Amino acid sequence: MNFAVLQFPGSNCDQDCVHVLRNVMGYPTQLLWHKENNVGDADAVVVPGGFSYGDYLRTGSIARFSPVMGAVKEFADNGGFVLGICNGFQILCEAGLLPGALIRNRSLQFRCEHVYLKVATYNSPFTSQIPEGKLMRIPIAHGEGNYFCDANTLDEIEANDRILFQYADREGDITDHANPNGSLKNIAGICNAERNIAGMMPHPERAAESALNEKDGRLVFESLIQSLNPASTTA
Amino acid sequence: MSSDPSITPELISEHGLTAEEYDRIKEIIGREPNYVELGIFSVMWSEHCSYKNTRALLKGFPVESPRVLVGAGEENAGILDIGDNLAISFKIESHNHPSAVEPFQGAATGVGGIIRDIFTMGARPVCAINSLRFGDLSNSEVRRLFRGVVSGIAHYGNCFGIPTVAGEVYFDQSYEGNPLVNAFALGVLRHDQIARGAAKGVGNPVFYVGPATGRDGLAGAAFASQDLTEESAEQQRSAVQVGDPFMEKLCMEACLELLATGAVAGIQDMGAAGLTCSTCETAARGGTGVEIDLAKVPQRSPGMTPYEILLSESQERMLIIVEKGREDEVKRIFDKWDLPWAEIGNVTDTGQMVVKNHGEVVADLPAAKLADEAPVYHREAKEPVYLDEVRNFTLEEIEDCDDPKSALEKLLEWPTIASKNWVYRQYDHMVRANTMVNPGSDAAVIRIKADSVPGDDAREDFPEKIIALAVDCNATHVYLDPYEGSKASVAECARNLACSGALPIGTTDNLNFGNPHNPELFWQLKESVRGLSEGCTAFDAPVTGGNVSLYNQNPDGAIDPTPTVAMVGVVEDEAHVTTQWFKDKGDAVILLGEPVGKGDILYGLGGSAYLQVIHGCKNGKPPVCDLGIERTLGTTLLGLIQSGLIKSAHDCSEGGLAVTLAESCFSELHGRNTPCFLGADVDLSSIVDIRSDALLFGESHGRIIISTSDIDAVKTVERAKLMGVPAQRIGTVGGDQLKVKLFNEEYAWEIAGLHDLWWNSIGNAMA
């Protein structure tokens, strides 16, 4: 099982994703330069966080035109798994692979802190291995994470069980107080209709090791690995 | 250059040069300089580049230890060995004046500049910290500067992808109009990856890489070396550079990739004094000459004069001397990263820095003399008059505290003591996935893993390391006694590292002072350097580099002297990483160190936060810092931590014992809006013959509050005493109140209430 982590100019969580997939989860993982036009032998693609192209103009808006994004689209059209994290989520929205947009945090400031996530559905390759009822504690770090879409889209996302994560308080309640950026319905992550493309603002790769006092983010990668190869046993 | 102005005494003075300095220039070059050359001397001989007023003093710093691989002043930043062929490079640098004029860009480019210093050494920058000073938050202009500086740092660091893991922020009127922005960065490399800023190899081509040169930041180094006035700020707005962290990220990745090829003979960033400084310093270090043609330098706007191109401080640019015949590797890598590059000249054997424009010589100066023979001044120092008043201050003028309950609340709410979450939540402090202790404890702790090394370390079993970082300076104490206050800044840093489980290994300092021509201000500087030197010597933490920022004053006077100290330590094992907050109900609370410094007639209240907040007075001799005691305290605590006895450790500083206890009760943060509270029942009634305000809020040095499991308490106290450190169990963790019993009275505070005052204070002020 091989992973590819995209590398745009300005990506800065690319190494973190490679580290977790390769050294923590133990799978071969390659960086994929933005000028490449195929994803090679990758079984899953991670679009990492950072400030691709400096996030000039609008977050993710330039990265979507990179040659590699054409390859990712083709890969996803054929059912390949794609996970976008933070800036990666923004890029997937800009590329039209996920609905909606991530706009400026309502605080108008960058926010870096640990948040609690309620898992809204276990029916996805990205959440299937998360124990039911588990409240996830994972950091966020973004200035534009305020998820927005029109009412019809939101209805469709909700009706089709496509919300993956919602910001919650420590009791697991979805409250406005627990919403760090103003996202509609406290949305922290969603998937596409076919359920093979996901985007999330929180950083599971920063919460996957006991050395950092964090383990919850691992569950996202374990889910992905299990979905790619149901026979695999994850630690 | 027919359009260049002729050299007049006025023009010389506008360039910040004295008549004597001008004579010296003529002596060095054996003729009158032209306008371009005058500009070059002006920036190279500014305090920022030449340390002309401080070089003699700085010689007193301890700079050696077996760990030093690159020492202070040799290169852009020092490098220390951390074992297993790994090393760290770190430095702190100020961007005070630019931040006063344009807080967002001023602070952002401060971060950019220090990151460049680190990757110029061949290291991958892995974390940043900073030290900030502003006036009183009740002033809207101060809030504008504070907001701008914090968002500028956030913008640059977050986009670049470096975690900002720790810092300090003080608010004091003396910084009104002259905020301090000191930025620190640290990078990691292997010993074999150390890069040098020397122009080696006659005939080697000189490359310019990075974005085009514009008119921004013209002569910023010279600007930083004058008093800040309203007029100068307005005139010098163009001296502030504009930062592009995205460009710097690309430039860093490309430079590290290029360094790995071995095609680089020398590398130097274009920081202060831009192209001028980088060409003449690389030539001076290489013992060579450099010849460049400005016509080949990428330019952002048409019609730039040689003077402008040479003195521009446009950001994110590097000068690279390439091994002849390997030019294509530079082109390949910089093209890959879509970065502009240009071959602008070559290394010569003349010892001259020759600058041409379309082939015509516009400057021809001896590089080594220009870089190294700036005048050295031994300024007059005179003890300031205000110190008489300080010495005469006694507590007789002040009644003992009749309401400690509200005093503690006011102290926790005081912005200097209050939580800095409003600041650090705007900084990405976790990118790179190495941050083991986030902002909010005594020191930040990060691990160093294979991808912290440029090019990813290929070792099968990478020897991971853990380092801790702290930055401190109680400038009020320094103002009231520059020598003791400066020693104490070093000691506080070391205490913070010890509390985190680290052994100090090196220091970088940022001397922020007023105008050195004022003998009283120069005396502060001299005394401060003496204190810092003794402190760093005591902790075997040599100074590996740093920065001097003088002329920090506005029309109302100078800032409090602020020798910011940043110290780095090594944690031996993951299990030793310790945080400041209490862990479990029933644990013992133990005070290490004397409750009150011996022989201090002010009982630690001189210059204290308590006097400032409750009595509105900034006076009294600050507590004496005994470095022998501090060193023993640090090694003892570290030994206890390494034995596995210690659950939490928090040092006493501003606000004294009461603030330290309160912070130990409430500073753990589990997640957004989710602090963890653990009260404590503390009994200090055995400590008699001391005023209650001094016992609760005095700031005697050499004290740390630790907690251990109940069963380990006796053993811990005994071991500490055996090592010569006074120790006593003073209480037990538990409940939802902080209860403190004194010999005459008992007080109790609700933890949740104290926390909210502390946590929200700055956010409320900024709302």
Side-chain angles (χ1 to χ4, degrees):
Chain A
M1 195 186 309
N2 296 308
F3 287 87
V5 176
L6 304 192
Q7 190 178 36
F8 298 98
S11 293
N12 63 31
C13 305
D14 45 340
Q15 287 187 332
D16 304 355
C17 290
V18 170
H19 165 69
V20 167
L21 288 165
R22 191 187 281 164
N23 304 326
V24 180
M25 308 308 293
Y27 290 92
T29 305
Q30 300 302 324
L31 282 172
L32 193 59
W33 187 238
H34 66 115
K35 290 175 186 170
E36 299 290 335
N37 46 28
N38 72 78
V39 303
D41 60 357
D43 297 297
V45 171
V46 175
V47 192
F51 287 68
S52 57
Y53 296 93
D55 274 347
Y56 291 127
L57 186 60
R58 202 169 60 237
T59 55
S61 64
I62 304 177
R64 63 163 288 207
F65 292 109
S66 277
V68 78
M69 284 309 293
V72 169
K73 187 167 184 311
E74 197 183 317
F75 174 73
D77 284 347
N78 292 320
F81 292 140
V82 178
L83 172 63
I85 300 167
C86 198
N87 192 226
F89 186 11
Q90 295 162 342
I91 294 168
L92 293 176
C93 288
E94 284 286 341
L97 294 172
L98 288 171
L102 293 141
I103 59 175
R104 193 100 191 265
N105 292 349
R106 65 179 164 183
S107 64
L108 304 183
Q109 286 179 345
F110 193 93
R111 276 288 175 277
C112 178
E113 58 190 346
H114 282 87
V115 295
Y116 303 101
L117 299 178
K118 185 175 177 171
V119 182
T121 181
Y122 301 93
N123 175 24
S124 88
F126 309 94
T127 54
S128 61
Q129 296 301 301
I130 301 171
E132 198 154 338
K134 162 108 189 154
L135 191 63
M136 311 263 281
R137 177 177 173 268
I138 295 185
I140 55 165
H142 58 246
E144 278 104 5
N146 182 349
Y147 184 78
F148 182 81
C149 62
D150 62 48
N152 290 340
T153 308
L154 186 61
D155 285 347
E156 197 197 313
I157 291 174
E158 285 192 287
N160 293 300
D161 194 25
R162 286 166 55 189
I163 300 176
L164 299 181
F165 302 108
Q166 286 170 292
Y167 301 108
D169 62 19
R170 204 180 179 176
E171 277 65 55
D173 294 328
I174 313 290
T175 64
D176 188 56
H177 195 51
N179 188 336
N181 50 32
S183 290
L184 278 180
K185 300 272 177 184
N186 285 34
I187 287 174
I190 57 168
C191 66
N192 64 339
E194 292 74 25
R195 314 191 86 75
N196 64 322
I197 305 175
M200 61 190 295
M201 288 312 295
H203 286 274
E205 81 280 13
R206 297 184 188 182
E209 294 171 85
S210 55
L212 305 181
N213 219 0
E214 317 276 352
K215 298 277 276 185
D216 291 356
R218 233 186 118 102
L219 295 166
V220 175
F221 299 107
E222 284 176 8
S223 299
L224 189 53
I225 289 161
Q226 174 73 18
S227 308
L228 282 163
N229 179 10
S232 75
T233 48
T234 49
Chain B
M1 295 281 96
S2 54
S3 60
D4 283 347
S6 54
I7 311 284
T8 60
E10 290 73 33
L11 190 72
I12 292 165
S13 149
E14 273 168 31
H15 278 79
L17 293 164
T18 63
E20 294 75 35
E21 286 170 346
Y22 186 70
D23 288 342
R24 175 100 184 90
I25 292 170
K26 283 193 292 187
E27 199 182 305
I28 286 177
I29 64 175
R31 60 178 166 81
E32 298 267 345
N34 64 31
Y35 178 59
V36 173
E37 291 169 337
L38 183 71
I40 292 173
F41 270 103
S42 153
V43 290
M44 289 307 295
W45 285 11
S46 67
E47 179 65 30
H48 192 89
C49 292
S50 74
Y51 299 95
K52 61 187 170 189
N53 293 300
T54 50
R55 208 177 333 171
L57 284 184
L58 302 180
K59 288 212 166 97
F61 279 147
V63 293
E64 282 169 14
S65 90
R67 290 182 184 270
V68 175
L69 300 176
V70 174
E74 274 183 60
E75 296 276 351
N76 290 278
I79 298 185
L80 293 180
D81 181 12
I82 54 166
D84 293 314
N85 198 29
L86 295 171
I88 52 174
S89 178
F90 59 87
K91 196 168 88 169
I92 193 165
E93 195 158 83
S94 66
H95 237 211
N96 302 337
H97 285 191
S99 303
V101 175
E102 213 302 284
F104 182 92
Q105 289 297 347
T109 51
V111 175
I114 196 64
I115 290 175
R116 269 198 308 286
D117 276 334
I118 298 308
F119 74 76
T120 300
M121 299 308 300
R124 176 175 280 282
V126 297
C127 71
I129 63 179
N130 57 68
S131 166
L132 312 176
R133 298 285 186 291
F134 300 92
D136 196 304
L137 277 180
S138 59
N139 177 329
S140 66
E141 173 61 13
V142 170
R143 293 198 298 275
R144 184 186 74 86
L145 290 172
F146 180 40
R147 182 177 284 117
V149 164
V150 170
S151 57
I153 292 172
H155 166 69
Y156 209 101
N158 297 353
C159 178
F160 180 86
I162 192 169
T164 302
V165 294
E168 53 157 17
V169 191
Y170 280 73
F171 302 92
D172 183 281
Q173 286 214 308
S174 79
Y175 305 104
E176 213 138 287
N178 196 133
L180 301 186
V181 176
N182 295 176
F184 166 107
L186 179 143
V188 177
L189 71 170
R190 281 193 312 271
H191 294 189
D192 54 89
Q193 292 175 314
I194 296 175
R196 296 282 180 172
K200 292 276 188 195
V202 174
N204 278 341
V206 173
F207 275 73
Y208 168 113
V209 302
T213 296
R215 288 196 173 91
D216 55 324
L218 271 181
F223 166 50
S225 305
Q226 345 171 329
D227 284 1
L228 193 60
T229 62
E230 242 171 70
E231 192 189 8
S232 74
E234 202 44 55
Q235 280 172 356
Q236 304 280 3
R237 206 170 293 272
S238 68
V240 180
Q241 312 87 338
V242 178
D244 182 348
F246 169 63
M247 201 48 91
E248 177 133 315
K249 162 80 174 165
L250 302 190
C251 195
M252 184 263 300
E253 295 292 354
C255 285
L256 294 182
E257 209 172 307
L258 180 63
L259 283 166
T261 65
V264 175
I267 181 166
Q268 168 87 22
D269 76 308
M270 296 189 213
L275 197 49
T276 298
C277 189
S278 54
T279 42
C280 100
E281 280 191 0
T282 47
R285 286 202 197 102
T288 54
V290 167
E291 185 174 313
I292 58 171
D293 194 324
L294 298 178
K296 296 177 181 163
V297 170
Q299 291 161 43
R300 204 182 297 158
S301 44
M304 286 183 69
T305 64
Y307 181 94
E308 289 171 331
I309 298 168
L310 274 170
L311 300 192
S312 161
E313 291 187 6
S314 289
Q315 298 288 290
E316 294 91 26
R317 303 173 303 157
M318 305 288 289
L319 192 79
I320 301 179
I321 293 100
V322 179
E323 298 286 355
K324 192 156 183 58
R326 303 188 67 175
E327 293 86 343
D328 284 348
E329 289 172 71
V330 183
K331 298 170 188 173
R332 176 179 59 81
I333 289 170
F334 281 82
D335 282 344
K336 172 190 163 189
W337 289 95
D338 295 322
L339 282 171
W341 55 265
E343 193 178 326
I344 60 167
N346 55 282
V347 179
T348 68
D349 59 1
T350 62
Q352 293 291 110
M353 167 190 179
V354 179
V355 182
K356 293 180 175 172
N357 192 29
H358 296 284
E360 180 197 350
V361 175
V362 294
D364 186 352
L365 298 170
K369 287 188 172 171
L370 182 56
D372 304 330
E373 290 194 16
V376 174
Y377 295 117
H378 298 268
R379 296 280 173 212
E380 188 195 341
K382 191 176 123 235
E383 190 179 287
V385 176
Y386 70 81
L387 288 176
D388 289 339
E389 195 196 325
V390 169
R391 287 198 194 97
N392 291 331
F393 178 85
T394 67
L395 289 179
E396 279 158 32
E397 303 163 30
I398 284 164
E399 293 276 320
D400 195 354
C401 186
D402 58 0
D403 189 3
K405 221 170 161 261
S406 85
L408 177 58
E409 290 165 0
K410 284 180 184 151
L411 280 167
L412 289 170
E413 226 181 346
W414 196 46
T416 291
I417 289 178
S419 166
K420 305 302 181 295
N421 70 85
W422 184 88
V423 176
Y424 63 71
R425 71 186 183 188
Q426 297 186 54
Y427 303 150
D428 188 338
H429 43 262
M430 299 180 227
V431 61
R432 301 203 62 77
N434 291 325
T435 313
M436 300 175 78
V437 176
N438 290 317
S441 192
D442 272 334
V445 181
I446 69 159
R447 72 170 163 185
I448 289 169
K449 62 182 190 299
D451 70 8
S452 308
V453 180
D456 278 13
D457 199 276
R459 274 175 269 191
E460 189 105 325
D461 207 0
F462 182 81
E464 287 195 357
K465 303 284 175 193
I466 300 171
I467 58 168
L469 314 94
V471 58
D472 287 291
C473 176
N474 183 331
T476 301
H477 286 188
V478 180
Y479 169 75
L480 297 170
D481 187 335
Y483 168 69
E484 289 296 338
S486 299
K487 274 196 309 187
S489 293
V490 179
E492 190 184 343
C493 255
R495 278 203 305 271
N496 284 330
L497 292 184
C499 286
S500 305
L503 179 74
I505 62 166
T507 309
T508 175
D509 66 293
N510 206 137
L511 302 172
N512 306 275
F513 285 77
N515 189 328
H517 296 272
N518 176 330
E520 294 197 342
L521 298 181
F522 194 73
W523 187 87
Q524 292 177 337
L525 179 59
K526 201 172 154 187
E527 283 295 287
S528 174
V529 168
R530 184 164 72 92
L532 293 177
S533 300
E534 286 183 22
C536 294
T537 304
F539 292 103
D540 289 331
V543 175
T544 63
N547 176 244
V548 177
S549 170
L550 305 180
Y551 307 93
N552 286 292
Q553 45 194 99
N554 58 34
D556 294 334
I559 59 161
D560 282 355
T562 312
T564 307
V565 178
M567 206 181 256
V568 180
V570 174
V571 184
E572 261 182 32
D573 189 285
E574 193 182 323
H576 304 162
V577 174
T578 306
T579 47
Q580 70 180 29
W581 41 86
F582 292 143
K583 300 297 181 300
D584 295 295
K585 189 169 171 264
D587 284 350
V589 180
I590 294 168
L591 170 66
L592 295 181
E594 294 286 353
V596 175
K598 281 184 175 152
D600 181 354
I601 58 158
L602 302 182
Y603 308 110
L605 283 176
S608 63
Y610 172 78
L611 283 191
Q612 293 178 68
V613 174
I614 306 300
H615 295 284
C617 100
K618 201 159 116 181
N619 207 349
K621 262 191 85 66
V624 166
C625 174
D626 183 323
L627 291 168
I629 288 177
E630 293 285 355
R631 194 187 156 104
T632 309
L633 176 70
T635 50
T636 301
L637 174 60
L638 198 54
L640 292 170
I641 287 174
Q642 289 170 346
S643 318
L645 292 167
I646 307 299
K647 288 195 175 183
S648 74
H650 189 17
D651 87 308
C652 290
S653 55
E654 286 86 1
L657 205 50
V659 165
T660 303
L661 286 166
E663 287 177 346
S664 302
C665 290
F666 60 54
S667 55
E668 182 181 13
L669 185 69
H670 189 264
R672 179 182 160 76
N673 301 329
T674 315
C676 303
F677 300 147
L678 257 180
D681 208 333
V682 173
D683 185 350
L684 301 172
S685 62
S686 66
I687 304 165
V688 291
D689 299 331
I690 176 173
R691 295 162 56 124
S692 55
D693 54 5
L695 183 53
L696 290 170
F697 308 117
E699 296 176 11
S700 298
H701 298 295
R703 298 179 302 164
I704 294 172
I705 293 287
I706 59 173
S707 66
T708 69
S709 67
D710 185 57
I711 201 168
D712 288 331
V714 173
K715 198 194 310 176
T716 303
V717 168
E718 276 174 3
R719 280 210 202 170
K721 285 182 174 166
L722 209 61
M723 298 289 291
V725 174
Q728 54 184 305
R729 177 168 180 166
I730 58 169
T732 302
V733 175
D736 46 21
Q737 289 186 322
L738 171 62
K739 293 184 199 162
V740 180
K741 188 175 174 191
L742 303 184
F743 66 93
N744 55 352
E745 195 87 55
E746 198 170 339
Y747 303 99
W749 293 268
E750 294 296 326
I751 297 297
L754 290 182
H755 169 270
D756 290 354
L757 292 171
W758 172 80
W759 182 259
N760 296 321
S761 170
I762 293 179
N764 288 343
M766 295 305 291

